[in-house]
Amino acid sequence: MTPRTALGALHIGALMFGLTGVFGKLAAASPAVIVFGRAVFAVLALAAFARFASPTRWQKLQGRDMRRLLLGGLLLTGHWVSFFISVKVAGVAIATLGFASFPAFTVLLEGLVFRERIRANEILLVVLVSIGLVLVTPDFDLASGATTGLLWAVASGLLFSLLSLTNRAGSAHVPPVQAALCQNVVVGLCLLPMAAPQLSDVRPLDWLWIGLLGVFCTGLAHSLFVASLAVIKARTAAVVFAMEPVYGITIAWLLFDENPTLRMLLGGVLIIVAIVVSSQLDGTKKSSAGAQAPSH
């Protein structure tokens, strides 16, 4: 890849990640079935990439690597399930913006887990995300589907932050594609007991949406991200992936007539600004930002 083609690949990957909520809403299936199918198709796509396109040799897994990948798979399961619950309850726009709160959680958790000092610009990030979430919330009534959906989306962002920290801790031992494939296997195995009784009721059209979700929004998007990092800095990649909510909300507006209010748009702008701010943090934050994008 040249820097120009890598940048184009990143934008395509960001668009695919932005379609995650859209395909999840189009599929008339339960979140458990959607996530199970997504994981199965993602494993196939990632295996094909690892076999034919990835120059990185797989590493022999040690005991601690397997435990870390198991934990990552469990966190990925919770992250995806809670995200698609949010999509079903509150719509693509609210689910996407609620999930986008993850940089604030990452800052706070890195301070606790890795004992890193929280700096002034990171405090600004947390403040921007908090204000953005308040603006995105239609009302503060827990009986409201929009509020409940936003809470599920925020929970998804929290689980995603925990996943990114888990991946950061093991990034020196396991190649990204190998880690993603193993974690998707864990996701599929975790949800198989819940999804199996419902599989016969899934329509062929819904399998199409789930297949696109697994192949394009997971396997191919992740592969493009990993390949582009060979010539693009992690902080540049993170800025490009800050466009994910923009793509997702725009497509949801066009397809589902989900018209965001001015207040929601303002909250979304603050959250997206926070993502860009987080991507500009130096030191370990650059590697953290780079590890976060491929899992959504």
Side-chain angles (χ1 to χ4, degrees), residues 55-208:
T56 305
R57 297 186 61 182
W58 282 28
Q59 301 297 318
K60 183 178 180 181
L61 299 179
Q62 305 296 325
R64 64 177 182 178
D65 298 323
M66 297 178 66
R67 289 190 294 271
R68 192 175 287 118
L69 290 172
L70 175 60
L71 175 60
L74 294 174
L75 291 171
L76 183 59
T77 302
H79 157 57
W80 278 349
V81 169
S82 56
F83 177 77
F84 287 116
I85 290 175
S86 177
V87 168
K88 297 294 186 182
V89 172
V92 177
I94 289 179
T96 302
L97 289 175
F99 157 75
S101 62
F102 71 85
F105 288 118
T106 302
V107 166
L108 297 174
L109 290 171
E110 280 183 327
L112 293 173
V113 175
F114 294 102
R115 300 185 181 278
E116 296 174 353
R117 184 173 60 87
I118 299 178
R119 294 166 291 181
N121 52 0
E122 295 171 327
I123 295 174
L124 174 62
L125 184 154
V126 175
V127 171
L128 288 175
V129 168
S130 300
I131 296 174
L133 288 175
V134 170
L135 292 174
V136 167
T137 307
D139 54 59
F140 293 94
D141 182 6
L142 291 178
S144 166
T147 303
T148 302
L150 181 64
L151 291 176
W152 277 109
V154 172
S156 176
L158 173 60
L159 291 169
F160 186 65
S161 296
L162 291 170
L163 173 63
S164 69
L165 295 181
T166 301
N167 287 339
R168 170 184 167 183
S171 60
H173 306 284
V174 184
V177 173
Q178 182 181 0
L181 191 149
C182 292
Q183 288 174 350
N184 274 276
V185 169
V186 173
V187 172
L189 293 176
C190 284
L191 292 177
L192 179 60
M194 288 178 283
Q198 307 175 50
L199 294 181
S200 60
D201 298 327
V202 181
R203 303 174 305 172
L205 181 60
D206 295 327
W207 279 121
L208 171 63

Side-chain angles (χ1 to χ4, degrees), residues 23-48:
F23 287 137
K25 185 163 184 175
L26 286 171
S30 70
V33 170
I34 292 172
V35 175
F36 169 77
R38 178 184 188 176
V40 171
F41 284 106
V43 167
L44 296 175
L46 289 167

Side-chain angles (χ1 to χ4, degrees), residues 179-281:
L181 191 149
C182 292
Q183 288 174 350
N184 274 276
V185 169
V186 173
V187 172
L189 293 176
C190 284
L191 292 177
L192 179 60
M194 288 178 283
Q198 307 175 50
L199 294 181
S200 60
D201 298 327
V202 181
R203 303 174 305 172
L205 181 60
D206 295 327
W207 279 121
L208 171 63
W209 303 132
I210 294 172
L212 292 174
L213 181 62
V215 173
F216 289 99
C217 299
T218 312
L220 182 58
H222 181 102
S223 301
L224 288 173
F225 182 88
V226 172
S228 65
L229 283 181
V231 290
I232 293 289
K233 292 181 179 179
R235 66 163 55 186
T236 302
V239 171
V240 172
F241 272 86
M243 293 296 293
E244 176 196 333
V246 177
Y247 291 136
I249 293 171
T250 301
I251 296 171
W253 171 59
L254 295 173
L255 290 181
F256 308 123
D257 198 28
E258 292 187 6
N259 297 316
T261 63
L262 180 60
R263 172 174 165 168
M264 184 183 295
L265 288 174
L266 180 58
V269 168
L270 289 177
I271 292 172
I272 292 169
V273 168
I275 298 174
V276 175
V277 170
S278 72
S279 71
Q280 297 303 307
L281 301 180

Side-chain angles (χ1 to χ4, degrees), residues 11 22 138 216:
H11 277 284
V22 173
F216 289 99

